Amino acid sequence: MRLYSVGQALLGRIRFADGGLPEYDRPYLIVSINEDSLDVLNISSVKGKERKLIFPSNLEIINYNPPFRKPSFVKLDSLVTIEKSVADSMILLDSGKPLNSYEMVKILDALKEFND
């Protein structure tokens, strides 16, 4: 089993909140670590979806690299919990390098506010 830290990113397929499975591998940001599970948020690239940045549920990530290679945003309404065993079967992006700490604090604050 891998050791994880907040700010790392995973690539794979996790069921959406509605139960559907993505048709392709997607990036996810680790926002919380529990004993046997991780809380992750869905990440999406900005290209072609710039209009979605105005939605209150989406937050642009300015300093996205590492671990994301393309301009990205986080979907604050996509929080899911996965077992660490599921995460172990996913790809750890950018050799486990975490997201910029300022961006991580901004996302965690926005997530808390979004869920209050």
Side-chain angles (χ1 to χ4, degrees):
M1 183 180 294
R2 285 186 201 137
L3 294 177
Y4 296 98
S5 62
V6 169
Q8 289 180 317
L10 299 166
L11 182 69
R13 297 179 194 192
I14 298 172
R15 291 202 177 278
F16 294 115
D18 68 6
L21 196 63
E23 294 181 16
Y24 54 90
D25 288 348
R26 306 186 56 91
Y28 300 89
L29 179 67
I30 298 172
V31 294
S32 176
I33 300 170
N34 311 298
E35 188 173 331
D36 295 317
S37 62
L38 305 172
D39 294 331
V40 298
L41 289 173
N42 197 332
I43 301 295
S44 189
S45 67
V46 172
K47 187 175 181 182
K49 297 173 245 166
E50 292 82 1
R51 71 190 185 290
K52 291 187 176 186
L53 294 177
I54 64 168
F55 298 167
S57 59
N58 296 332
L59 180 67
E60 186 174 13
I61 302 171
I62 304 302
N63 297 304
Y64 55 86
N65 191 353
F68 309 109
R69 293 199 178 123
K70 299 176 183 176
S72 302
F73 65 93
V74 62
K75 298 179 178 188
L76 299 171
D77 60 353
S78 69
L79 186 67
V80 293
T81 301
I82 60 169
E83 297 300 315
K84 286 183 180 175
S85 59
V86 171
D88 288 344
S89 69
M90 299 172 75
I91 296 168
L92 188 60
L93 291 178
D94 209 349
S95 302
K97 292 178 188 161
L99 183 65
N100 172 283
S101 59
Y102 170 78
E103 291 293 338
M104 202 61 230
V105 168
K106 183 175 77 170
I107 291 166
L108 293 173
D109 286 349
L111 181 62
K112 184 178 183 314
E113 187 175 314
F114 184 79
N115 287 313
D116 281 349

